[in-house]
Amino acid sequence: MKKICLILYLLFLKNLPATNGNYPMRSIIRRMRSSVGKYLFDKCGNNINIEKGADFGKGNGITIGDYSGLGINCYVRGPLIIGSDVMMGPDVMIFHGDHAMSRRDIPMRLQGDSVSKPVVIGDDVWIGARSIILKGVHIGKGAVIAAGAVVTKDVPEYAIVGGVPAKIIKYRE
């Protein structure tokens, strides 16, 4: 069933319109994309939202909580844990690994990948448009990631971070 849902998503559902507009088919499109998530992700909460163009590979290693969403044209891979009530803007990228580069006698492209580290996103997090979250990062409950931020380190609960690399701007009150 997973292969059928993946093919259905890649060939049809991925390219349907985004659900952020106000048009009659919006709720139907949202339900169709959400229903394939139940088969593609390791764990999938209720009322999730997968937006147009979301790229999550085969969905392996991804857990997504209730009322959370994958933003328009996002790029995410597991291991990834997304809590409940997480909002994700468009073009967000979440990486769990990178290229190995420890040896200088072999080209980096031939060294393979580095050790994968899971990304964990707590409940009630807002990830702004075009943010990048790197491997091994934990984002605390209630945090806000500003648009365009590059998150290289853990983010405490209720912190608002922004910049390249992301730094704490202030805390939510």
Side-chain angles (χ1 to χ4, degrees):
M1 187 64 166
K2 182 171 181 160
K3 286 183 182 181
I4 293 169
C5 286
L6 185 60
I7 291 168
L8 177 65
Y9 177 76
L10 292 172
L11 294 179
F12 179 64
L13 298 175
K14 183 176 182 176
N15 300 309
L16 290 176
T19 62
N20 57 357
N22 189 13
Y23 53 91
M25 298 292 288
R26 178 182 134 171
S27 63
I28 294 169
I29 292 169
R30 184 176 242 179
R31 274 184 292 198
M32 287 191 301
R33 286 196 194 117
S34 174
S35 64
V36 299
K38 304 258 184 222
Y39 296 99
L40 297 175
F41 303 135
D42 289 2
K43 291 184 184 173
C44 184
N46 296 314
N47 295 327
I48 67 159
N49 183 32
I50 303 170
E51 276 297 349
K52 176 183 179 158
D55 183 345
F56 46 80
K58 295 179 182 176
N60 297 334
I62 297 176
T63 297
I64 185 167
D66 297 335
Y67 302 99
S68 290
L70 298 178
I72 296 169
N73 297 324
C74 72
Y75 177 91
V76 300
R77 294 291 188 275
L80 170 63
I81 298 170
I82 298 174
S84 296
D85 299 302
V86 173
M87 298 184 295
M88 184 182 296
D91 302 316
V92 168
M93 292 188 281
I94 301 175
F95 298 102
H96 65 87
D98 51 28
H99 298 285
M101 58 181 167
S102 59
R103 296 183 58 184
R104 293 174 21 181
D105 60 324
I106 300 173
M108 287 182 279
R109 69 177 178 80
L110 299 175
Q111 293 185 45
D113 296 330
S114 67
V115 175
S116 177
K117 294 182 182 176
V119 173
V120 178
I121 300 170
D123 296 338
D124 190 30
V125 170
W126 177 13
I127 304 170
R130 297 197 173 172
S131 297
I132 298 172
I133 301 170
L134 300 181
K135 73 178 188 176
V137 169
H138 289 68
I139 297 176
K141 177 180 180 178
V144 176
I145 311 301
V150 177
V151 184
T152 60
K153 297 179 182 173
D154 292 353
V155 176
E157 290 187 354
Y158 301 105
I160 300 172
V161 300
V164 180
K167 295 189 180 347
I168 297 173
I169 297 169
K170 66 179 186 175
Y171 285 87
R172 290 177 55 202
E173 305 210 3

